[in-house]
Amino acid sequence: MSTQSQQQKKPQFEDEEEDNELLHSDSETIPFSSPFAKQSAVLEDENAEFVYAAKDKVQIFDVESAGSGGPGSMVVPPFSWKKLWLFTGPGLLMSVAFLDPGNLEGDLQAGAIAGYSLLWLLVWTTIMGGLLQVLSARLGVATGRHLAELCREEYSNWARYVLWIMAEMALIAADIQEVIGSAIALKILSHGILPIWAGVVITAFDCFFFLFLENYGVRKLEGVFAVFIGTMAFSFAWMFFDTKPSEEELIKGILIPRVNSKTLRQAVELIGCVITPHNVFLHSALVQSREIDIRNKGQVQEALNYYTIESSVALFITLVINLFVITVFARVFYGTEQANGIGLVNAGQFLQEKYGGGLFPILYIWGIGLLAAGQSSTITGTYAGQFITEGFLKLNIKKWLRSLITRSCAIVPTMIAAIVFNTSESSLDTMNEWLNVVQSIQIPFALIPLLTLVSKEEVMGTFRIGPIIERVSWCVAVLVIMVYGYMLLGFFLSEVKGLLFGFLVCIGFVAWISFIAYLVKHGGALSSIMIRPPTSRGFTLTTNN
């Protein structure tokens, strides 16, 4: 009897051994303790905690396609419009960060002060931001885990706690801008009846209503974001065609790079608006809303192909919307006395004075577009907060409780800011500058871990990025960090007053540079870029017919 039992168990053991060999056949350097290998083992654990529960994930691959080629196969089926539609969604949520109220304020100021001259910079900044977001999605798909989770295992305790605190601070700063942007829109649409603080309360709590839609399926929530983005596109397109900007200047602005000393500040702010730290964390988690077996390399590659396409389309839409906003304010306010004093609060009123009422007053069109931007970005901010907190601290708690905790962390400082800074438009502008500083400090601590992890074979396996993409990505990251560093330098040179404050700023700057150096050295980025052979795998967007 025992001999028969052993004979029955033997084939099962051989099958498991064969699966393990297939899983590691492409790279002998991947240790089983690596995040990539760990996730493969955890797939069999029914009690494991995931960003999305199995029942909440969108099912894409049927049994037949999932089993084709075996776990180690790189066979990618032909392109399918149906599958592209099923993968469409995470890119929409990610792209909202390119359209939040902070971005809109940067757009309108760039248009009012620099005219059409910075449109080319918007195009290239969006492309750079798109590259970083595609890398974030690649990390999430290939490992089955998001950036915050991987940082928890990649770095020592003290470093990951610093990363978590910095990420939370940047998220709170972004959330304050988004919530107050919605509050300003509600004030505009209510004829000033709703004060800023009341709009903050409404925005803070109505995001729970939209997040509740996720209980009816991820696709429902993604549909809400499609409506928000469509509302922004319609509103700002209406303003674009209503103000009739110069087509010739528009084309010149896109094709001819121009910047001078008078527009340098707007150029720097435009770059700073597009690439936000919390969005880098967010995208790596959003892509896990689709059911993908990371042991099936064909599925992983196919998912990467579709996510690249849908993210690119979503970012192209955001680019067009941002172009609309810049050109409208370039057409209306460039060269005028109001150009230097325009912001989110008074922009609608200035437009109303220029173009009057009409069938549908432009003031309310602006308010509707701003409200859609604020509401959508607030929801994604709450989403990002959940992923960041759960990833760094490994909190295995209910989703509603996690949402409540992360929302409370942001709403309390937002309420304080709304009450303290709602005394004048200049106070809101001062607050906005300080919030930008907080996010500027954080950006290296999102980009460096991302590029470090996505370049590691022990993390990504065969899906690590190639040397060309790696070098380009690091060049983009260095450029962005230098731009943010320039913003910080200019801000502190103008704001630092007093010996004590200056001393504290110097200490903080030294600590900032030291931690950046630690992250770069820990990841071995410089040596990796110099010694990696040109034959390593890079991006592939191919299909086999």
Side-chain angles (χ1 to χ4, degrees):
M1 187 70 178
S2 59
T3 305
Q4 184 179 359
S5 300
Q6 291 175 0
Q7 289 174 349
Q8 290 176 350
K9 291 181 180 179
K10 185 176 180 181
Q12 181 182 358
F13 175 80
E14 289 177 349
D15 289 342
E16 291 175 356
E17 185 176 10
E18 182 180 356
D19 286 346
N20 286 333
E21 289 176 358
L22 285 171
L23 179 63
H24 300 286
S25 60
D26 287 272
S27 177
E28 297 179 356
T29 62
I30 304 178
F32 186 74
S33 61
S34 71
F36 180 79
K38 277 185 179 179
Q39 181 65 15
S40 297
V42 170
L43 286 173
E44 303 298 332
D45 185 2
E46 295 180 356
N47 298 321
E49 292 289 335
F50 294 99
V51 176
Y52 294 91
K55 64 182 180 64
D56 297 329
K57 292 187 177 183
V58 178
Q59 300 295 324
I60 295 175
F61 301 100
D62 55 28
V63 176
E64 181 180 355
S65 64
S68 62
S73 173
M74 279 297 294
V75 176
V76 181
F79 176 83
S80 167
W81 287 103
K82 180 181 179 180
K83 281 189 178 179
L84 177 60
W85 170 248
L86 291 174
F87 275 106
T88 299
L92 290 175
L93 275 70
M94 171 273 298
S95 66
V96 166
F98 289 68
L99 295 169
D100 65 19
N103 276 47
L104 297 182
E105 184 162 28
D107 289 343
L108 65 89
Q109 290 176 349
I113 297 174
Y116 301 87
S117 64
L118 296 180
L119 293 178
W120 67 275
L121 185 61
L122 174 67
V123 173
W124 283 103
T125 302
T126 304
I127 293 173
M128 290 190 298
L131 171 61
L132 297 173
Q133 294 302 147
V134 168
L135 293 180
S136 177
R138 189 179 186 88
L139 180 70
V141 173
T143 64
R145 313 178 79 183
H146 58 82
L147 180 57
E149 288 179 305
L150 294 171
C151 285
R152 186 182 70 229
E153 296 193 355
E154 176 71 17
Y155 299 101
S156 58
N157 285 338
W158 73 269
R160 69 182 175 93
Y161 282 125
V162 171
L163 288 172
W164 170 64
I165 292 172
M166 298 303 296
E168 288 289 354
M169 289 176 59
L171 179 62
I172 291 172
D175 203 29
I176 292 174
Q177 291 178 317
E178 293 156 0
V179 171
I180 289 183
S182 291
I184 292 172
L186 290 172
K187 182 178 181 180
I188 292 173
L189 295 174
S190 67
H191 284 280
I193 295 176
L194 285 174
I196 296 292
W197 68 265
V200 167
V201 174
I202 294 172
T203 303
F205 287 100
D206 66 10
C207 95
F208 285 111
F209 169 74
F210 293 112
L211 287 174
F212 179 74
L213 293 175
E214 190 185 9
N215 294 326
Y216 295 94
V218 175
R219 301 288 281 174
K220 301 291 191 304
L221 183 63
E222 292 169 351
V224 170
F225 277 84
V227 172
F228 279 135
I229 294 176
T231 301
M232 283 184 273
F234 179 78
S235 300
F236 298 134
W238 185 318
M239 293 170 55
F240 177 83
F241 291 108
D242 197 21
T243 56
K244 299 180 177 63
S246 169
E247 296 178 1
E248 181 181 353
E249 290 295 326
L250 174 61
I251 295 174
K252 284 183 179 179
I254 294 175
L255 298 179
I256 303 175
R258 290 176 291 173
V259 67
N260 55 50
S261 58
K262 294 181 180 180
T263 61
L264 181 60
R265 179 177 178 180
Q266 280 64 46
V268 171
E269 291 179 351
L270 198 60
I271 296 174
C273 286
V274 172
I275 302 172
T276 54
H278 73 271
N279 208 36
V280 176
F281 285 96
L282 176 66
H283 201 191
S284 63
L286 292 175
V287 294
Q288 295 174 45
S289 60
R290 271 57 178 174
E291 184 64 45
I292 300 168
D293 184 359
I294 65 171
R295 295 168 300 185
N296 188 315
K297 297 179 182 179
Q299 278 193 23
V300 173
Q301 185 60 61
E302 187 176 12
L304 292 174
N305 295 348
Y306 286 120
Y307 276 134
T308 300
I309 295 172
E310 70 107 16
S311 297
S312 300
V313 172
L315 290 180
F316 176 76
I317 295 172
T318 66
L319 172 62
V320 172
I321 294 174
N322 283 317
L323 283 172
F324 284 160
V325 177
I326 291 179
T327 52
V328 164
F329 285 88
R331 167 71 177 83
V332 178
F333 296 106
Y334 179 59
T336 65
E337 295 180 358
Q338 298 101 327
N340 291 317
I342 199 166
L344 289 179
V345 177
N346 56 18
Q349 190 60 44
F350 284 158
L351 287 171
Q352 184 79 352
E353 293 173 0
K354 288 277 186 178
Y355 285 89
L359 179 63
F360 197 73
I362 197 169
L363 171 66
Y364 300 117
I365 298 173
W366 166 253
I368 291 171
L370 180 59
L371 181 62
Q375 290 287 342
S376 56
S377 57
T378 299
I379 299 172
T380 56
T382 302
Y383 238 32
Q386 294 178 31
F387 298 138
I388 290 171
T389 302
E390 186 276 334
F392 277 110
L393 302 183
K394 200 177 183 180
L395 297 178
N396 294 326
I397 59 178
K398 298 292 184 181
K399 185 181 294 186
W400 67 267
L401 182 58
R402 199 166 59 212
S403 299
L404 182 62
I405 293 173
T406 54
R407 184 89 292 239
S408 301
C409 289
I411 195 56
V412 172
T414 303
M415 286 292 298
I416 295 173
I419 294 172
V420 172
F421 290 94
N422 190 31
T423 56
S424 65
E425 294 176 10
S426 60
S427 297
L428 288 174
D429 291 338
T430 300
M431 179 195 69
N432 192 57
E433 289 181 0
W434 276 100
L435 295 176
N436 287 334
V437 166
V438 174
Q439 295 183 74
S440 301
I441 293 173
Q442 162 61 17
I443 194 66
F445 309 142
L447 297 187
I448 295 176
L450 170 66
L451 298 185
T452 297
L453 290 166
V454 84
S455 305
K456 282 192 171 186
E457 187 174 3
E458 58 266 32
V459 175
M460 299 290 292
T462 58
F463 293 98
R464 70 173 184 179
I465 58 175
I468 295 178
I469 297 298
E470 184 178 1
R471 289 173 184 135
V472 170
S473 302
W474 276 105
C475 287
V476 169
V478 170
L479 175 61
V480 172
I481 292 172
M482 289 177 63
V483 167
Y484 275 96
Y486 177 83
M487 290 175 60
L488 291 173
L489 180 63
F491 178 80
F492 284 119
L493 286 177
S494 62
E495 294 294 327
V496 171
K497 297 176 182 178
L499 184 60
L500 178 61
F501 188 33
F503 177 71
L504 294 175
V505 168
C506 289
I507 293 178
F509 180 75
V510 171
W512 186 66
I513 293 295
S514 300
F515 194 50
I516 290 176
Y518 163 79
L519 294 177
V520 172
K521 183 180 179 181
H522 174 87
L526 296 178
S527 59
S528 174
I529 293 173
M530 296 300 295
I531 66 175
R532 281 188 57 184
T535 55
S536 298
R537 176 180 294 276
F539 282 116
T540 56
L541 291 172
T542 59
T543 58
N544 296 332
N545 295 315

